Amino acid sequence: MQPGFFDWQNRFEKLDTIKDPLCKLNRAVNWELFRAELAAIRDRQRKSNAGAKPYDAVLMFKVLLLQSLYNLSYEAVEYQILDRMSFMRFLGLQAGDPVPDAKTIWVFREQLKAAGRMEQLFTQFNDYLAANGYAAKQGQIVDASIVAAPRQRNSREENRQIKEGKTPEGWQDAKKRQKDVDARWTKKNGKTYYGYKNHVDIDVKHKFIRGYAVTDASVHDSQVFEELLDDNNSSRDVYADSAYRSEESIEQLEELGFREHLQRKGCKNRTLTKWEQQGNRTRARKRSRIEHVFGVQAMMAKNLILRCIGMIRARVKIGLRNLAYNINRYALLETTG
């Protein structure tokens, strides 16, 4: 049946009625904020005017945000843009407009990686938040979340060589391109995981991610504690779970002028007193807010497994995921008051 003139408009109005979340993003965020920084990604001069012009950098950046919010592969995000009206409208595309294919999206992500602009984009949006009434307030919370990567089926000898920074003997170039030698194994609550860690610092009041660090999964949470601390927060209170508590970390916080609110943990020969248990419950009311951040990321993406190989790409992917969370959080606060 031939579509009517108002069919698209009626469909978009229906999406508005049921509160399309991507429409909220477009209403709340001035995407031109990122254009100058994104332009640096494509700083190479075109050799000639022949061939198709590249897609708009802001449009491609928004495609990467869609991919991060919903944890889509390159092929899947291409398909979803073609298939979903909400994705098309978010990107400002009409039915007859060309859509970037999976290879084009991958190339742009690789350009972002090569340019090393991920941290600048993240910081730029944090500065924008502070300038628009969302400065970090009421203290900060630090925690880490394991980000799974596809498990590697290596022999013990191959794993030993990888840990020593060597390339296992017999690995051809084709095999090396498919092997992640930067991810590591770790155990948590009796379960074994393989991948990386997303270490984050959020502010208590607004629950924005103010800083992050990416490491392999074997790195203990406390090893990146100090580098995450935000000096720009209006409060000097720092909340974290018992993994961060040690004499050294408490001394560091005191030297830096922070007030520690670190959870206590009992041990076999010493159980927590009632006073210490009550202190944990009191601190947990605020510390638990960081679990909401990880929960939202998991809820939207469904499956947080990384679709890339190597630490450099992991930093870009996880950085995009954290930035996408902040942008989505900002749109929620702006549209709900």
Side-chain angles (χ1 to χ4, degrees):
M1 184 174 66
Q2 183 70 24
F5 181 76
F6 294 105
D7 286 352
W8 282 95
Q9 181 179 343
N10 293 338
R11 185 66 64 88
F12 286 141
E13 288 176 355
K14 182 66 174 178
L15 286 172
D16 290 340
T17 301
I18 60 177
K19 299 181 180 179
D20 174 12
L22 296 179
C23 190
K24 292 181 180 179
L25 287 184
N26 270 344
R27 285 202 303 266
V29 179
N30 176 16
W31 298 105
E32 291 301 311
L33 165 73
F34 300 102
R35 184 171 295 282
E37 196 65 45
L38 292 170
I41 296 172
R42 291 172 168 170
D43 58 357
R44 293 183 180 179
Q45 294 287 334
R46 287 170 59 88
K47 294 181 179 179
S48 73
N49 292 324
K53 292 183 179 180
Y55 285 92
D56 179 71
V58 173
L59 181 145
M60 294 302 301
F61 175 62
K62 292 172 75 174
V63 170
L64 293 184
L65 290 178
L66 284 175
Q67 186 184 36
S68 298
L69 282 171
Y70 300 106
N71 198 30
L72 300 170
S73 67
Y74 296 103
E75 292 76 13
V77 74
E78 177 191 358
Y79 173 81
Q80 293 293 348
I81 295 169
L82 289 166
D83 185 63
R84 295 177 65 170
M85 290 183 178
S86 59
F87 277 31
M88 289 175 57
R89 180 166 66 161
F90 175 68
L91 297 173
L93 297 174
Q94 302 297 322
D97 291 338
V99 170
D101 60 19
K103 178 67 173 180
T104 302
I105 300 168
W106 178 85
V107 167
F108 186 77
R109 201 284 310 272
E110 287 295 293
Q111 290 174 336
L112 176 59
K113 180 200 76 173
R117 314 300 288 191
M118 188 59 246
E119 288 78 10
Q120 287 92 325
L121 288 167
F122 183 87
T123 301
Q124 183 179 30
F125 191 69
N126 254 342
D127 293 341
Y128 175 82
L129 291 173
N132 285 272
Y134 294 100
K137 294 181 179 180
Q138 297 182 4
Q140 55 195 299
I141 312 169
V142 177
D143 205 353
S145 175
I146 296 172
V147 182
R151 298 193 173 197
Q152 307 291 293
R153 306 301 177 183
N154 303 324
S155 67
R156 290 186 178 180
E157 177 59 23
E158 286 174 333
N159 281 332
R160 183 188 66 78
Q161 293 181 51
I162 290 170
K163 287 182 180 179
E164 292 176 353
K166 302 176 182 177
T167 300
E169 297 177 3
W171 280 18
Q172 302 299 321
D173 289 342
K175 186 172 184 176
K176 286 189 286 186
R177 285 194 292 269
Q178 300 301 318
K179 288 290 188 177
D180 193 335
V181 297
D182 295 327
R184 291 291 183 270
W185 294 93
T186 191
K187 278 193 173 183
K188 183 177 181 180
N189 299 327
K191 293 184 178 181
T192 303
Y193 300 90
Y194 181 80
Y196 299 88
K197 273 187 181 178
N198 181 21
H199 305 261
V200 304
D201 174 282
I202 74 165
D203 70 295
V204 172
K205 181 175 176 60
H206 302 298
K207 290 197 294 189
F208 283 112
I209 298 174
R210 302 296 177 171
Y212 71 94
V214 178
T215 67
D216 66 71
S218 67
V219 174
H220 194 271
D221 297 357
S222 62
Q223 292 184 28
V224 291
F225 187 25
E226 184 178 344
E227 71 179 82
L228 287 174
L229 297 175
D230 181 16
D231 275 324
N232 296 318
N233 199 293
S234 65
S235 170
R236 306 303 288 176
D237 294 323
V238 176
Y239 298 83
D241 64 27
S242 57
Y244 295 88
R245 189 177 190 89
S246 67
E247 291 184 6
E248 181 182 359
S249 64
I250 292 174
E251 289 177 1
Q252 286 178 341
L253 289 173
E254 289 179 354
E255 289 175 1
L256 295 171
F258 291 105
R259 290 185 293 272
E260 64 91 0
H261 299 276
L262 309 182
Q263 296 288 68
R264 296 176 181 271
K265 186 177 181 179
C267 58
K268 184 177 180 180
N269 298 320
R270 182 188 178 280
T271 58
L272 295 180
T273 65
K274 289 184 177 180
W275 177 82
E276 289 171 331
Q277 292 175 9
Q278 179 58 46
N280 276 353
R281 286 192 290 271
T282 300
R283 288 186 290 270
R285 294 191 188 101
K286 289 189 177 180
R287 197 207 67 81
S288 62
R289 291 174 69 81
I290 200 167
E291 303 298 340
H292 304 164
V293 176
F294 297 135
V296 168
Q297 289 182 327
M299 178 186 67
M300 296 192 69
K302 307 301 181 185
N303 183 353
L304 290 176
I305 192 167
L306 275 184
R307 302 178 185 274
C308 64
I309 295 174
M311 176 63 77
I312 297 176
R313 289 191 176 99
R315 284 175 176 152
V316 173
K317 294 282 281 190
I318 293 173
L320 278 167
R321 185 176 294 171
N322 291 334
L323 176 55
Y325 165 83
N326 276 359
I327 292 174
N328 188 60
R329 174 74 179 160
Y330 172 72
L332 176 66
L333 294 177
E334 282 290 285
T335 55
T336 60

